[in-house]
């Protein structure tokens, strides 16, 4: 993670992936979603660099 790494919201992730909220949270349940963390208000954030690395790992596995 870089100092200027952007934090992505769940709606931003859904928009990039083209999946539903239900699909994203199901992936989180089964450990197939990108790593993220919960803020004190319960919202999830994912660093752009972690999201990009997760996408790359999917491409390599395909």
């Amino acid at each position: 993670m870089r100092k200027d790494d952007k934090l992505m919201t769940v709606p931003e992730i859904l928009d990039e992936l083209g999946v539903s909220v239900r699909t994203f949270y199901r992936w989180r349940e089964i450990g197939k979603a990108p790593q993220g963390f919960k803020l004190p208000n319960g919202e999830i954030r994912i660093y752009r660099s972690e999201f990009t690395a997760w996408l790359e790992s999917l491409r390599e596995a395909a």
Side-chain angles (χ1 to χ4, degrees):
M1 177 197 70
R2 296 183 330 238
K3 192 169 147 181
D4 62 344
D5 203 356
K6 180 183 185 301
L7 285 174
M8 298 177 72
T9 64
V10 170
E12 290 172 329
I13 301 251
L14 299 178
D15 188 49
E16 290 219 19
L17 294 175
V19 299
S20 69
V21 172
R22 182 177 177 165
T23 298
F24 176 75
Y25 282 101
R26 177 69 181 131
W27 287 351
R28 283 187 53 87
E29 281 180 25
I30 62 174
K32 300 288 184 183
Q35 286 294 322
F37 60 92
K38 278 190 177 181
L39 298 174
N41 65 2
E43 292 183 9
I44 296 171
R45 294 292 186 272
I46 298 171
Y47 283 104
R48 165 64 73 177
S49 60
E50 291 178 5
F51 177 73
T52 303
W54 174 76
L55 282 177
E56 252 332 287
S57 72
L58 294 178
R59 282 190 197 111
E60 290 171 6

Coordinates of all heavy atoms in Angstrom, one line a residue:
M1 N 0.8 -1.2 0.0 CA 0.0 0.0 0.0 C 0.9 1.2 0.0 O 1.8 1.3 0.8 CB -0.9 0.0 1.2 CG -1.8 1.2 1.3 SD -2.5 1.5 3.0 CE -1.0 1.9 3.9
R2 N 0.6 2.1 -0.9 CA 1.3 3.4 -0.9 C 0.6 4.5 -0.1 O -0.6 4.4 0.2 CB 1.4 3.9 -2.4 CG 2.2 3.0 -3.3 CD 2.3 3.6 -4.7 NE 1.1 4.4 -5.0 CZ 0.3 4.2 -6.1 NH1 0.5 3.2 -6.9 NH2 -0.7 5.0 -6.3
K3 N 1.3 5.5 0.2 CA 0.7 6.6 1.0 C -0.4 7.2 0.3 O -1.4 7.6 0.9 CB 1.8 7.6 1.3 CG 1.5 8.6 2.3 CD 2.7 9.3 2.7 CE 2.4 10.8 3.1 NZ 3.6 11.5 3.4
D4 N -0.4 7.3 -1.0 CA -1.4 8.0 -1.8 C -2.5 7.0 -2.4 O -3.2 7.3 -3.2 CB -0.8 8.8 -2.9 CG 0.0 8.0 -3.9 OD1 0.3 6.8 -3.6 OD2 0.3 8.5 -5.0
D5 N -2.4 5.7 -1.9 CA -3.4 4.7 -2.3 C -4.8 5.1 -2.0 O -5.1 5.4 -0.9 CB -3.0 3.4 -1.7 CG -3.5 2.2 -2.4 OD1 -4.1 2.3 -3.5 OD2 -3.2 1.0 -2.0
K6 N -5.7 5.0 -3.0 CA -7.1 5.4 -2.8 C -7.9 4.3 -2.1 O -7.7 3.1 -2.4 CB -7.7 5.7 -4.2 CG -9.1 6.1 -4.2 CD -9.6 6.3 -5.6 CE -11.0 6.8 -5.6 NZ -12.1 6.0 -5.0
L7 N -8.7 4.7 -1.2 CA -9.7 3.8 -0.6 C -10.9 3.7 -1.4 O -11.5 4.8 -1.8 CB -10.0 4.3 0.8 CG -9.0 4.0 1.9 CD1 -9.4 4.7 3.2 CD2 -8.7 2.6 2.1
M8 N -11.3 2.5 -1.8 CA -12.5 2.3 -2.6 C -13.7 1.9 -1.7 O -13.5 1.2 -0.8 CB -12.3 1.2 -3.7 CG -11.2 1.6 -4.6 SD -10.9 0.2 -5.8 CE -12.4 0.3 -6.8
T9 N -14.9 2.4 -2.1 CA -16.1 2.1 -1.4 C -16.7 0.8 -2.1 O -16.3 0.5 -3.2 CB -17.1 3.2 -1.5 OG1 -17.5 3.4 -2.8 CG2 -16.6 4.5 -0.8
V10 N -17.6 0.2 -1.4 CA -18.3 -1.0 -2.0 C -19.0 -0.6 -3.3 O -18.9 -1.3 -4.3 CB -19.3 -1.6 -1.0 CG1 -20.1 -2.7 -1.7 CG2 -18.5 -2.3 0.1
P11 N -19.8 0.5 -3.4 CA -20.4 0.9 -4.7 C -19.3 1.1 -5.8 O -19.6 0.7 -7.0 CB -21.1 2.2 -4.4 CG -21.4 2.1 -2.9 CD -20.2 1.4 -2.3
E12 N -18.2 1.6 -5.5 CA -17.1 1.7 -6.5 C -16.7 0.4 -7.0 O -16.4 0.2 -8.2 CB -15.9 2.6 -6.0 CG -16.3 4.0 -5.8 CD -15.2 4.8 -5.1 OE1 -14.4 4.2 -4.3 OE2 -15.0 6.0 -5.4
I13 N -16.5 -0.6 -6.1 CA -16.1 -1.9 -6.4 C -17.1 -2.6 -7.3 O -16.8 -3.2 -8.3 CB -15.8 -2.7 -5.1 CG1 -14.8 -2.0 -4.3 CG2 -15.5 -4.2 -5.4 CD1 -13.4 -2.7 -4.2
L14 N -18.4 -2.5 -6.9 CA -19.5 -3.1 -7.6 C -19.5 -2.6 -9.0 O -19.7 -3.3 -10.0 CB -20.8 -2.9 -6.9 CG -21.0 -3.4 -5.5 CD1 -22.3 -3.1 -4.9 CD2 -20.7 -4.9 -5.5
D15 N -19.3 -1.3 -9.2 CA -19.4 -0.6 -10.5 C -18.2 -1.2 -11.4 O -18.5 -1.5 -12.5 CB -19.2 0.9 -10.3 CG -19.4 1.6 -11.6 OD1 -20.4 1.3 -12.3 OD2 -18.6 2.5 -11.9
E16 N -17.1 -1.3 -10.8 CA -15.9 -1.8 -11.6 C -16.1 -3.3 -12.0 O -15.7 -3.7 -13.1 CB -14.6 -1.6 -10.8 CG -14.2 -0.2 -10.8 CD -12.7 0.1 -10.9 OE1 -12.0 -0.8 -11.4 OE2 -12.3 1.1 -10.5
L17 N -16.6 -4.1 -11.1 CA -16.8 -5.5 -11.3 C -18.1 -5.9 -12.1 O -18.1 -6.9 -12.7 CB -16.8 -6.3 -10.0 CG -15.5 -6.3 -9.2 CD1 -15.7 -7.0 -7.9 CD2 -14.4 -6.9 -10.0
G18 N -19.1 -5.0 -12.0 CA -20.3 -5.3 -12.6 C -21.1 -6.4 -11.9 O -21.8 -7.2 -12.6
V19 N -21.0 -6.5 -10.6 CA -21.7 -7.5 -9.9 C -22.7 -6.9 -8.9 O -22.5 -5.7 -8.6 CB -20.7 -8.5 -9.1 CG1 -19.8 -9.2 -10.1 CG2 -19.9 -7.7 -8.1
S20 N -23.6 -7.7 -8.4 CA -24.6 -7.2 -7.4 C -24.0 -7.1 -6.0 O -22.9 -7.7 -5.7 CB -25.8 -8.1 -7.4 OG -25.5 -9.3 -6.8
V21 N -24.6 -6.4 -5.2 CA -24.3 -6.3 -3.7 C -24.3 -7.7 -3.1 O -23.3 -8.1 -2.4 CB -25.2 -5.3 -3.0 CG1 -24.9 -5.4 -1.5 CG2 -25.1 -3.9 -3.5
R22 N -25.3 -8.4 -3.4 CA -25.4 -9.8 -2.9 C -24.2 -10.7 -3.3 O -23.7 -11.4 -2.5 CB -26.7 -10.4 -3.4 CG -26.9 -11.8 -2.8 CD -28.3 -12.3 -3.3 NE -28.4 -13.7 -2.8 CZ -29.5 -14.4 -2.8 NH1 -30.6 -13.8 -3.2 NH2 -29.5 -15.6 -2.3
T23 N -23.8 -10.6 -4.6 CA -22.7 -11.4 -5.0 C -21.4 -11.0 -4.3 O -20.6 -11.8 -3.8 CB -22.5 -11.2 -6.5 OG1 -23.7 -11.7 -7.2 CG2 -21.3 -11.9 -7.1
F24 N -21.2 -9.7 -4.2 CA -20.0 -9.2 -3.5 C -19.9 -9.7 -2.1 O -18.9 -10.2 -1.6 CB -19.9 -7.7 -3.5 CG -18.7 -7.1 -2.8 CD1 -17.5 -7.2 -3.3 CD2 -18.9 -6.5 -1.5 CE1 -16.4 -6.7 -2.6 CE2 -17.8 -6.0 -0.8 CZ -16.6 -6.1 -1.4
Y25 N -21.0 -9.6 -1.3 CA -21.0 -10.0 0.1 C -20.9 -11.5 0.2 O -20.3 -12.1 1.2 CB -22.2 -9.4 0.9 CG -21.9 -8.0 1.2 CD1 -22.5 -6.9 0.5 CD2 -21.1 -7.7 2.3 CE1 -22.2 -5.6 0.8 CE2 -20.8 -6.3 2.6 CZ -21.4 -5.3 1.9 OH -21.1 -4.0 2.2
R26 N -21.4 -12.2 -0.8 CA -21.3 -13.7 -0.8 C -19.8 -14.1 -1.0 O -19.3 -15.0 -0.3 CB -22.2 -14.3 -1.9 CG -22.0 -15.8 -2.0 CD -22.6 -16.5 -0.8 NE -22.5 -18.0 -1.0 CZ -22.0 -18.8 -0.1 NH1 -21.7 -18.3 1.1 NH2 -21.8 -20.0 -0.3
W27 N -19.2 -13.4 -1.9 CA -17.7 -13.6 -2.1 C -17.0 -13.3 -0.8 O -16.0 -14.1 -0.5 CB -17.2 -12.7 -3.2 CG -17.6 -13.1 -4.6 CD1 -18.3 -14.2 -5.0 CD2 -17.4 -12.3 -5.8 NE1 -18.5 -14.2 -6.3 CE2 -18.0 -13.0 -6.9 CE3 -16.8 -11.1 -6.0 CZ2 -17.9 -12.6 -8.2 CZ3 -16.8 -10.6 -7.3 CH2 -17.3 -11.4 -8.4
R28 N -17.3 -12.3 -0.1 CA -16.7 -12.0 1.2 C -16.9 -13.1 2.2 O -16.0 -13.5 2.9 CB -17.2 -10.7 1.8 CG -16.6 -9.5 1.1 CD -16.9 -8.2 1.8 NE -16.6 -8.1 3.2 CZ -15.5 -7.7 3.7 NH1 -14.5 -7.5 2.9 NH2 -15.3 -7.7 5.0
E29 N -18.1 -13.7 2.2 CA -18.4 -14.8 3.2 C -17.5 -16.0 2.9 O -17.1 -16.7 3.8 CB -19.9 -15.2 3.0 CG -20.9 -14.4 3.7 CD -22.3 -14.9 3.4 OE1 -22.5 -16.1 3.2 OE2 -23.2 -14.1 3.5
I30 N -17.3 -16.3 1.6 CA -16.6 -17.5 1.3 C -15.1 -17.2 1.1 O -14.3 -18.1 0.6 CB -17.2 -18.2 0.1 CG1 -17.2 -17.4 -1.2 CG2 -18.6 -18.7 0.4 CD1 -17.6 -18.1 -2.4
G31 N -14.6 -16.0 1.3 CA -13.2 -15.6 1.2 C -12.7 -15.4 -0.2 O -11.5 -15.6 -0.4
K32 N -13.6 -15.1 -1.1 CA -13.2 -14.9 -2.5 C -13.1 -13.5 -3.0 O -12.9 -13.2 -4.1 CB -14.2 -15.7 -3.5 CG -14.2 -17.1 -3.2 CD -13.0 -17.8 -3.7 CE -13.1 -19.3 -3.5 NZ -11.9 -20.0 -3.9
A33 N -13.4 -12.5 -2.1 CA -13.4 -11.1 -2.4 C -12.0 -10.5 -2.0 O -11.3 -11.1 -1.3 CB -14.5 -10.4 -1.6
P34 N -11.7 -9.3 -2.6 CA -10.5 -8.7 -2.2 C -10.5 -8.3 -0.7 O -11.5 -8.1 -0.1 CB -10.5 -7.4 -3.1 CG -11.9 -7.2 -3.5 CD -12.5 -8.5 -3.5
Q35 N -9.3 -8.3 -0.1 CA -9.2 -7.9 1.3 C -9.6 -6.5 1.5 O -9.4 -5.6 0.7 CB -7.7 -8.1 1.7 CG -7.3 -9.5 1.9 CD -8.0 -10.2 3.0 OE1 -8.3 -9.6 4.1 NE2 -8.3 -11.4 2.8
G36 N -10.2 -6.3 2.6 CA -10.7 -4.9 3.0 C -10.8 -4.8 4.5 O -10.4 -5.7 5.2
F37 N -11.3 -3.7 4.9 CA -11.5 -3.5 6.4 C -12.8 -2.7 6.6 O -13.2 -2.0 5.7 CB -10.3 -2.9 7.0 CG -10.0 -1.5 6.4 CD1 -10.5 -0.4 7.0 CD2 -9.1 -1.4 5.3 CE1 -10.2 0.9 6.5 CE2 -8.9 -0.1 4.8 CZ -9.4 1.0 5.4
K38 N -13.3 -2.9 7.8 CA -14.5 -2.2 8.2 C -14.2 -1.0 9.0 O -13.3 -1.0 9.9 CB -15.4 -3.1 9.0 CG -16.3 -4.0 8.3 CD -17.3 -4.7 9.2 CE -18.2 -5.6 8.3 NZ -19.2 -6.2 9.1
L39 N -14.8 0.1 8.6 CA -14.7 1.4 9.4 C -15.6 1.2 10.6 O -16.4 0.4 10.7 CB -15.2 2.5 8.5 CG -14.4 2.8 7.2 CD1 -15.0 3.9 6.4 CD2 -12.9 3.1 7.5
P40 N -15.4 2.1 11.6 CA -16.2 2.1 12.8 C -17.7 2.2 12.5 O -18.5 1.6 13.3 CB -15.7 3.3 13.6 CG -14.3 3.5 13.2 CD -14.3 3.1 11.7
N41 N -18.1 2.8 11.4 CA -19.5 2.9 11.1 C -20.0 1.6 10.3 O -21.2 1.6 9.9 CB -19.8 4.1 10.3 CG -19.2 4.1 8.9 OD1 -18.5 3.2 8.5 ND2 -19.3 5.2 8.2
G42 N -19.2 0.6 10.2 CA -19.6 -0.6 9.5 C -19.4 -0.7 8.0 O -19.5 -1.7 7.4
E43 N -19.0 0.5 7.4 CA -18.8 0.5 6.0 C -17.4 -0.2 5.7 O -16.5 -0.2 6.5 CB -18.8 1.9 5.4 CG -20.1 2.5 5.5 CD -20.1 3.9 4.8 OE1 -19.1 4.3 4.2 OE2 -21.2 4.6 5.0
I44 N -17.3 -0.8 4.5 CA -16.1 -1.5 4.1 C -15.3 -0.6 3.1 O -15.9 0.1 2.3 CB -16.5 -2.8 3.4 CG1 -17.2 -3.8 4.4 CG2 -15.3 -3.5 2.7 CD1 -17.7 -5.0 3.7
R45 N -14.0 -0.7 3.2 CA -13.1 0.1 2.3 C -12.1 -0.9 1.9 O -11.6 -1.8 2.7 CB -12.5 1.3 3.0 CG -13.4 2.4 3.4 CD -14.0 3.1 2.1 NE -14.8 4.2 2.5 CZ -16.1 4.2 2.8 NH1 -16.7 3.0 2.8 NH2 -16.7 5.3 3.1
I46 N -11.6 -0.8 0.6 CA -10.6 -1.6 0.1 C -9.6 -0.7 -0.7 O -10.0 0.2 -1.4 CB -11.2 -2.6 -0.9 CG1 -12.2 -3.6 -0.2 CG2 -10.1 -3.4 -1.6 CD1 -13.0 -4.5 -1.1
Y47 N -8.3 -0.9 -0.4 CA -7.3 -0.1 -1.1 C -7.3 -0.5 -2.5 O -7.4 -1.6 -2.9 CB -5.9 -0.3 -0.4 CG -5.7 0.4 0.8 CD1 -5.8 -0.2 2.1 CD2 -5.5 1.8 0.9 CE1 -5.6 0.4 3.3 CE2 -5.4 2.5 2.0 CZ -5.4 1.8 3.2 OH -5.3 2.5 4.4
R48 N -7.2 0.5 -3.4 CA -7.1 0.3 -4.8 C -6.0 -0.7 -5.2 O -6.2 -1.5 -6.0 CB -6.9 1.7 -5.5 CG -6.4 1.6 -7.0 CD -7.5 1.0 -7.9 NE -8.6 1.9 -8.1 CZ -9.6 1.6 -8.9 NH1 -9.6 0.5 -9.6 NH2 -10.6 2.4 -9.1
S49 N -4.9 -0.6 -4.6 CA -3.7 -1.5 -4.9 C -4.1 -2.9 -4.5 O -3.8 -3.9 -5.3 CB -2.5 -1.1 -4.1 OG -2.7 -1.1 -2.7
E50 N -4.8 -3.2 -3.4 CA -5.3 -4.5 -3.1 C -6.3 -5.0 -4.1 O -6.3 -6.2 -4.4 CB -5.8 -4.6 -1.7 CG -4.7 -4.3 -0.6 CD -5.2 -4.3 0.8 OE1 -6.4 -4.6 1.0 OE2 -4.4 -4.0 1.7
F51 N -7.2 -4.2 -4.5 CA -8.2 -4.5 -5.5 C -7.6 -4.9 -6.8 O -7.9 -6.0 -7.4 CB -9.2 -3.4 -5.7 CG -10.2 -3.6 -6.7 CD1 -11.3 -4.5 -6.5 CD2 -10.2 -3.0 -8.0 CE1 -12.3 -4.7 -7.5 CE2 -11.1 -3.2 -8.9 CZ -12.2 -4.0 -8.7
T52 N -6.6 -4.1 -7.2 CA -5.9 -4.4 -8.5 C -5.1 -5.7 -8.4 O -5.1 -6.5 -9.3 CB -4.9 -3.3 -8.8 OG1 -5.7 -2.0 -8.9 CG2 -4.2 -3.5 -10.1
A53 N -4.4 -6.0 -7.3 CA -3.7 -7.2 -7.1 C -4.7 -8.4 -7.1 O -4.3 -9.5 -7.6 CB -2.9 -7.2 -5.7
W54 N -5.8 -8.3 -6.5 CA -6.8 -9.3 -6.4 C -7.3 -9.6 -7.9 O -7.4 -10.8 -8.2 CB -8.0 -8.9 -5.6 CG -9.2 -9.8 -5.5 CD1 -9.3 -11.0 -4.9 CD2 -10.4 -9.6 -6.2 NE1 -10.5 -11.6 -5.1 CE2 -11.2 -10.8 -5.9 CE3 -10.9 -8.6 -7.1 CZ2 -12.5 -10.9 -6.4 CZ3 -12.2 -8.8 -7.6 CH2 -13.0 -9.9 -7.3
L55 N -7.6 -8.6 -8.7 CA -7.9 -8.8 -10.1 C -6.9 -9.6 -10.8 O -7.1 -10.5 -11.6 CB -8.3 -7.5 -10.8 CG -9.6 -6.9 -10.5 CD1 -9.7 -5.6 -11.2 CD2 -10.8 -7.8 -10.9
E56 N -5.6 -9.2 -10.6 CA -4.5 -9.8 -11.3 C -4.4 -11.3 -10.9 O -4.1 -12.1 -11.7 CB -3.2 -9.1 -10.9 CG -2.5 -8.3 -11.9 CD -2.6 -8.6 -13.3 OE1 -2.1 -9.6 -13.8 OE2 -3.3 -7.9 -14.0
S57 N -4.6 -11.6 -9.6 CA -4.6 -13.0 -9.2 C -5.6 -13.8 -9.9 O -5.5 -15.0 -10.2 CB -4.7 -13.1 -7.7 OG -6.0 -12.8 -7.2
L58 N -6.8 -13.2 -10.1 CA -7.9 -13.9 -10.9 C -7.5 -14.2 -12.3 O -7.8 -15.3 -12.8 CB -9.2 -13.1 -10.8 CG -9.8 -12.9 -9.5 CD1 -11.1 -12.1 -9.6 CD2 -10.2 -14.3 -8.8
R59 N -6.8 -13.2 -12.9 CA -6.4 -13.4 -14.3 C -5.4 -14.5 -14.4 O -5.4 -15.3 -15.3 CB -5.8 -12.1 -14.8 CG -6.8 -11.1 -15.2 CD -6.2 -9.9 -16.0 NE -7.1 -8.8 -15.9 CZ -6.9 -7.7 -15.2 NH1 -5.8 -7.5 -14.5 NH2 -7.8 -6.7 -15.3
E60 N -4.4 -14.5 -13.4 CA -3.4 -15.5 -13.5 C -3.9 -16.9 -13.2 O -3.5 -17.9 -13.8 CB -2.3 -15.2 -12.4 CG -1.5 -14.0 -12.8 CD -0.6 -13.6 -11.6 OE1 -0.5 -14.3 -10.6 OE2 0.0 -12.5 -11.8
A61 N -5.0 -17.0 -12.4 CA -5.6 -18.3 -12.1 C -6.5 -18.9 -13.3 O -6.7 -20.1 -13.4 CB -6.5 -18.2 -10.9
A62 N -6.9 -18.0 -14.2 CA -7.8 -18.4 -15.3 C -7.0 -19.1 -16.3 O -5.9 -19.1 -16.5 CB -8.4 -17.1 -15.9

